[in-house]
Amino acid sequence: MTFSATWWLVLVFIFDVVVRIAAIIIVPRNRRPTAATAWLLAIYFIPLLGVLLFLLIGNPRLPRKRRRKQKLINENIREISEDLAFGTLRPHAPEWFTSIVTLNRTLGAMPLTGDNAAHLISDYQESLDAMADAIGAAERFVHCEFYILQADASTEGFFRALEDAAARGVQVRVLLDHWANRGKPYYRQTLKRLTDMGAEWHLMLPVQPLKGRYQRPDLRNHRKLLVVDGVVAFMGSQNITDSTYNLKKNIKRGLHWVDLMARLEGPVVASVDAVFLSDWYSETDQVLDDERGLFSIHTGPGDLDCQIVPSGPGFEFENNLRLFLGLLYSAQRKIIVVSPYFVPDEALLLAITTACHRGLQVELFVSEEGDQAIVYHAQRSYYETLLRAGVKIWMYKKPYILHSKSMSIDDEIAIFGSSNMDMRSFGLNMEISMLVRGEEFVEELRGVEDKYRNLSRELTLDEWMQQPLRSTVLDNLARLTSALQ
């Protein structure tokens, strides 16, 4: 071996030691122990690739400027809404519910509102048609914000309604996630159609480094919402696209998405619109004229108490995770969770299994078929622990992907929206959830849960223990990668 080669080996050794020491100092800071451990394992076992990945996606927060904007937005919302009346709240709220509302107000700024109506729509095309009908009645503005937005055969009525609204002078504003849509079918056609109709549209969280716009590429705006005139709103789990997402691989496998949306009326609509206005300002630095009338209250025809909970990497804390944990520990009889991507952190897993140990009835709805291999296998790695604790797991039969996201607590409280119960939704995705108090809404949600149960099969512990070793290995490896945040 030559002298030069020896020195190269010494330099590589020194570099390797420096990287490992630096990783121990840098990686764990302000990060969950599981995430820190996963990153350290990646850096130690595959140093070059691990370091490159950490530099690319190792920061789980939006840029500092964006976080400052969110802080200003929250302060503005609290100030505007401090002395306003948001309908009459239902009497005799449990003390624990009041503390949950305070938690949401502290972290997400939005108030609890009364006198709301919320109607669930579980049919995919019916939901698209209902949104199109609402847009068709618009007189002032339409605010449309969706993770995925595609002009295709299934959404033709929706886009035609937007075009008609714009043609009669209604202000149409649209936000769509950049990374989720780029390269997808109908992307360029969709943007052209929005431009041609005269809509004002912007990409959310664009990854365009050549234009000076960049953040961690897997920080995404996963919200789905529509607001018409500040009077009617829609929110939930459904994107504006065909139930196959127009992807060849889905069509080949016969996959169709099953989703759940809610049509809202009442003061809570102003809170949904506040989320849109916040995201619009975050992307454009533009304060809309509508914001001067923020929280202009329209009384609804119902009697539900509702509170909107925005969450995501722009906030200091994981608002949705803390809400879920609070509800799980507050439940007294029954918990039913619907989450297509269920990859809990330690705190959430402990809360759910503790609920079983407290004697509660706990049910979890997931899909029998997976559309994302890593998430699918990571989720499966938790089944044995859940089943042994007493969780009843329902698997929605393939070839359908159960994409709805909800949780019902006892007979009066529910949470509903775009957030999955996984580490991505807690730390990396911008989400919107709605806390609801009202037996009538929970009863309607129970009807949807019954429908899902009839279309599912129960997974038993005996069946699960027959899994082949190769599946267990894949599940455990995926579980490790899911912690890379």
Side-chain angles (χ1 to χ4, degrees):
M1 181 178 291
T2 66
F3 180 81
S4 177
T6 301
W7 274 107
W8 271 113
L9 285 175
V10 171
L11 288 174
V12 169
F13 174 78
I14 294 173
F15 176 77
D16 182 67
V17 171
V18 169
V19 167
R20 292 171 186 266
I21 294 174
I24 293 175
I25 297 171
I26 296 171
V27 172
R29 186 177 182 183
N30 298 323
R31 197 181 300 271
R32 286 199 197 97
T34 50
T37 301
W39 275 116
L40 289 173
L41 285 172
I43 292 171
Y44 278 26
F45 282 99
I46 44 173
L48 183 59
L49 180 59
V51 170
L52 289 175
L53 282 174
F54 184 78
L55 293 174
L56 180 66
I57 63 172
N59 183 3
R61 294 296 177 195
L62 288 169
R64 187 176 290 107
K65 179 181 177 182
R66 181 71 176 246
R67 299 199 303 274
R68 282 200 300 265
K69 281 185 178 182
Q70 186 64 62
K71 185 177 180 180
L72 289 173
I73 289 166
N74 287 357
E75 292 173 354
N76 187 37
I77 289 173
R78 288 193 188 96
E79 181 181 348
I80 292 173
S81 62
E82 188 66 36
D83 299 318
L84 295 179
F86 294 95
T88 304
L89 299 178
R90 300 168 75 103
H92 312 304
E95 186 175 341
W96 65 261
F97 180 77
T98 303
S99 68
I100 293 290
V101 170
T102 301
L103 169 73
N104 296 335
R105 179 75 154 157
T106 301
L107 300 183
M110 298 296 181
L112 179 69
T113 67
D115 299 330
N116 298 292
H119 170 62
L120 292 171
I121 308 173
S122 60
D123 181 84
Y124 199 96
Q125 189 61 47
E126 182 183 340
S127 173
L128 293 172
D129 295 342
M131 287 187 279
D133 289 343
I135 295 169
E139 297 179 354
R140 297 191 298 120
F141 67 83
V142 175
H143 289 164
C144 174
E145 177 178 340
F146 284 87
Y147 179 59
I148 294 176
L149 186 77
Q150 295 181 344
D152 58 33
S154 297
T155 64
E156 176 61 26
F158 183 95
F159 276 85
R160 195 183 307 119
L162 288 178
E163 289 167 336
D164 292 344
R168 61 177 183 269
V170 173
Q171 180 65 60
V172 176
R173 300 185 179 99
V174 178
L175 292 171
L176 65 157
D177 188 83
H178 176 222
W179 198 261
N181 287 278
R182 64 183 292 276
K184 296 292 196 310
Y186 305 109
Y187 175 55
R188 295 190 181 280
Q189 297 94 313
T190 299
L191 298 187
K192 182 178 185 303
R193 190 162 180 178
L194 291 172
T195 301
D196 290 346
M197 74 173 68
E200 190 175 355
W201 61 268
H202 293 277
L203 299 172
M204 296 187 291
L205 299 178
V207 182
Q208 298 170 320
L210 297 181
K211 297 182 179 181
R213 297 188 289 183
Y214 181 81
Q215 69 281 316
R216 175 173 169 169
D218 60 342
L219 298 181
R220 306 283 18 114
N221 193 318
H222 194 241
R223 294 168 180 158
K224 294 100 173 168
L225 62 92
L226 175 73
V227 181
V228 178
D229 291 344
V231 178
V232 176
F234 292 80
M235 59 167 289
S237 67
Q238 186 173 340
N239 291 296
I240 304 299
T241 181
D242 183 76
S243 62
T244 65
Y245 281 55
N246 299 299
L247 296 176
K248 291 181 180 178
K249 62 180 182 179
N250 294 342
I251 296 171
K252 183 178 180 180
R253 295 168 62 189
L255 299 183
H256 289 271
W257 267 241
V258 175
D259 277 291
L260 188 63
M261 295 291 282
R263 184 184 191 275
L264 311 176
E265 294 179 84
V268 72
V269 173
S271 294
V272 179
D273 201 32
V275 175
F276 177 89
L277 294 170
S278 300
D279 286 340
W280 188 272
Y281 170 66
S282 295
E283 297 297 350
T284 67
D285 290 320
Q286 180 185 4
V287 178
L288 298 175
D289 290 340
D290 306 71
E291 195 163 4
R292 297 172 188 167
L294 184 63
F295 293 121
S296 54
I297 307 304
H298 297 271
T299 303
D303 188 35
L304 300 174
D305 292 351
C306 299
Q307 184 180 32
I308 295 299
V309 184
S311 59
F315 291 90
E316 182 178 358
F317 301 104
E318 296 165 323
N319 302 353
N320 48 354
L321 173 59
R322 293 176 185 238
L323 169 58
F324 295 152
L325 291 173
L327 290 173
L328 288 168
Y329 281 116
S330 299
Q332 298 299 307
R333 295 182 302 279
K334 182 191 300 185
I335 299 168
I336 299 181
V337 175
V338 180
S339 181
Y341 310 118
F342 184 83
V343 186
D345 68 350
E346 299 97 323
L348 185 61
L349 184 64
L350 182 63
I352 287 182
T353 54
T354 298
C356 291
H357 299 154
R358 290 195 289 128
L360 276 64
Q361 174 187 339
V362 182
E363 299 182 40
L364 170 65
F365 285 85
V366 295
S367 294
E368 184 178 46
E369 183 108 356
D371 66 302
Q372 299 180 28
I374 293 179
V375 178
Y376 173 70
H377 283 286
Q379 173 173 286
R380 285 163 49 94
S381 72
Y382 293 93
Y383 286 171
E384 182 178 348
T385 299
L386 294 169
L387 290 168
R388 290 192 182 279
V391 177
K392 184 172 288 189
I393 299 179
W394 297 98
M395 306 186 75
Y396 200 93
K397 292 182 180 179
K398 55 185 179 184
Y400 295 95
I401 302 295
L402 182 60
H403 194 241
S404 306
K405 305 112 177 10
S406 65
M407 179 167 66
S408 55
I409 300 295
D410 300 332
D411 298 316
E412 190 184 14
I413 310 297
I415 186 77
F416 169 85
S418 68
S419 179
N420 297 301
M421 281 195 170
D422 68 349
M423 287 180 270
R424 166 165 291 281
S425 286
F426 300 148
L428 305 180
N429 287 346
M430 299 173 72
E431 307 282 6
I432 180 171
S433 304
M434 182 173 68
L435 177 68
V436 184
R437 178 176 175 233
E439 296 89 344
E440 54 269 46
F441 183 82
V442 175
E443 183 178 353
E444 189 174 354
L445 184 56
R446 289 275 188 261
V448 176
E449 293 164 352
D450 289 341
K451 176 183 174 183
Y452 291 164
R453 193 177 290 104
N454 292 333
L455 295 171
S456 304
R457 67 176 185 85
E458 184 180 356
L459 177 66
T460 66
L461 181 60
D462 288 342
E463 176 191 345
W464 184 249
M465 297 310 294
Q466 302 304 314
Q467 292 294 311
L469 178 60
R470 64 178 181 276
S471 295
T472 302
V473 172
L474 283 173
D475 296 345
N476 291 338
L477 287 174
R479 182 169 178 164
L480 287 174
T481 62
S482 70
L484 292 176
Q485 294 188 44

